[in-house]
Amino acid sequence: MVMRKRPKLKFRQNNDENENQQFETERIRVKQLIGENTEQTVIRDTVKLPYGYPDIEEILSIDTKVKLKKAEIIPNKVIVEGKLRFKVLYTAFEKDQSVHAFDEEIEFTDFIEVEGARPGMDAEIEFVVEDFSLKLSRSCEYDLTAVLQITAKITEDREVDAIIECPMGYNCETERMSLEQVVGSNTKQILIDDEFELPDERDFLVSDVLKCMCDVEITKVRVIKNKILFDGEVDMECLYAVERRADKGKHGHGEWHADKKGHGFEDPKEDKFGVHSFERTFKFSNFIEVEGAEQGMEAYVDAMVESCSLDITDVSDCKFSPLIVLKIKARVVEDREVDVVTDIEGADVDTVTLDMESLVAEECKQVIIRDAKETPAGKPDVDKVREITVGDVVIKDVDVIQDKVLIKGTVEFEILYIAMNERKSLHTIHRKVDFKTFIDVPGARPENEADIDVEVEWANVKLEKDCELLIEAVLKVCARVTETVEQDVVIGFTPRPTVPPTTLPPTTTCVPGTTFNYTIAKGDTLSKLAQRYGTTVQAIQAANPEITNPNMLNVGDVIKIPCVAKG
């Protein structure tokens, strides 16, 4: 993080000699940056292949995703609880070298030190998987090692009544601030418990739910008066134990298999017990109240899975009832420009320092992606494409350079197609398509931060003559570039006496080349003293070598002011 202190560029003067000290203020509410820190953590665990899955001969790919489970702020620390989820695609140690996949989820806890953090503040947590490896330790068991980079940014909403007009009869320094004004925020819990059944399991009795994993994503956000409307999806994946019904198939224990997607299944002629899995998506729509929200404002909605479980409600009919608890945090902001007073000449000022994000610029660009590949090994040939669905969009790398933002990412697609066989069976293909682009953002600099938003505006898939599936899509990629600035704003002032007590007596002559003593008063700076006594900051520093930091003057200290020739 790079913090920049804004220079004081503007100078205003109000020559009205009215002694009325009334002045105009405006309430500013910003997200104040308290501190930020990045640390590494190493996760080590033992992973077992799910029951019935063949041994791994070669790992083809590993996809990882880290989700925040909970962030608790204690003095000067943030306790982070998260979930590392990974999907392994591999070829089996079998004669046909079939392709399989399995998912796992590992929970972890760590802490990040952030000076100034206190309970009640807000924590923004970001994860980067820097390294991930699986090494065989013994039959069907693998040692997992993952290196994570965890960044914690601590903020709190701060309100100040800043003076925005120079008081009458004073000269003022002012600054125009581009800020993200916080309109309001709120939190809410959502429960998803829609009962469903698995019709494909009519031949089995479900005996136990072994494990469930949930992932949530907000897909759409809209702002209306005093409310935020949002849509989202929860992807749930569960493993459960089954037993073949007494009137179906044989009762002996047989060989266990796994299909091409890595889901366990049994030989219909032999198995009685087994482990099955399913994936299901629950869509939801809801709202959260935020006082002051208006249409056209910007809204940020974050969702976190607090609980993910599954109950069996009817064993004979394979009916399930999920219990998914989501925590929703919403914040409404408005980009504004405000002229604030940063100093008042001839007065002792009360100031507050705001450390905040300031908008540099926001730009968008359309990107076209094309990707052609053959049907994956083990999948039947394509007869006809039914539909294409857009999945996760993952930003892998963002680099801010001068006046540009470089972006790399992937878009996941799911293709549903009819197979070229006698049964005309339905199959799916999951494919990730990489993209990279840049966006011109005037004013962007390497030390700035960029938030990236990608929207898939259109997607299509078609079968080419050479049996390749061609995916085409149009992306809208937006980059919002911000900088962290430190800005002093005046919230009050006290007029100084007309004749400061430390000035030279009228009868005393200040001989050029000599100095006189001056006692530092509240609000004094070297530049103000130099202007008042007709000298320079450099001359005052030369006469006072003990001043090592010209920006830190202690009230009550006595310094020397050089005398200069008049006229």
Side-chain angles (χ1 to χ4, degrees), residues 353-385:
T353 301
L354 300 179
D355 296 332
M356 59 186 181
E357 288 186 351
S358 179
L359 178 65
V360 176
E362 183 173 9
E363 300 292 342
C364 297
K365 179 180 181 179
Q366 281 194 325
V367 178
I368 299 175
I369 58 175
R370 294 167 56 89
D371 184 75
K373 284 188 177 68
E374 294 181 353
T375 306
K379 290 284 186 179
D381 290 336
V382 179
D383 180 44
K384 185 178 180 181
V385 176

Side-chain angles (χ1 to χ4, degrees), residues 386-403:
R386 288 283 298 271
E387 66 179 19
I388 182 171
T389 305
V390 179
D392 290 339
V393 179
V394 178
I395 303 301
K396 290 187 171 182
D397 187 43
V398 178
D399 190 16
V400 182
I401 62 175
Q402 190 68 38
D403 297 325

Side-chain angles (χ1 to χ4, degrees), residues 525-543:
T525 65
L526 292 190
S527 60
K528 290 180 181 178
L529 294 176
Q531 185 178 14
R532 186 185 306 168
Y533 295 108
T535 183
T536 64
V537 172
Q538 291 78 9
I540 297 177
Q541 286 182 290

Side-chain angles (χ1 to χ4, degrees), residues 19-36:
E19 295 184 357
N20 189 346
Q21 298 302 325
Q22 293 183 354
F23 48 85
E24 186 177 357
T25 65
E26 183 169 336
R27 179 155 295 179
I28 297 174
R29 185 181 181 189
V30 297
K31 186 171 69 171
Q32 172 95 346
L33 177 64
I34 304 301
E36 183 176 355

Side-chain angles (χ1 to χ4, degrees), residues 183 221-227 292-299 332-335:
V183 177
V221 176
R222 303 173 302 284
V223 181
I224 62 175
K225 187 174 181 61
N226 296 326
K227 285 186 178 67
E294 296 285 352
Q295 188 173 359
M297 292 181 177
E298 188 80 19
V332 178
V333 298
E334 183 181 21
D335 290 333

Side-chain angles (χ1 to χ4, degrees), residues 12-14 23 163-168 170-172 341 344:
R12 289 187 179 178
Q13 182 175 1
N14 191 330
F23 48 85
I163 298 178
I164 60 172
E165 287 292 338
C166 189
M168 296 179 181
Y170 289 89
N171 297 332
C172 297
V341 174
I344 302 174

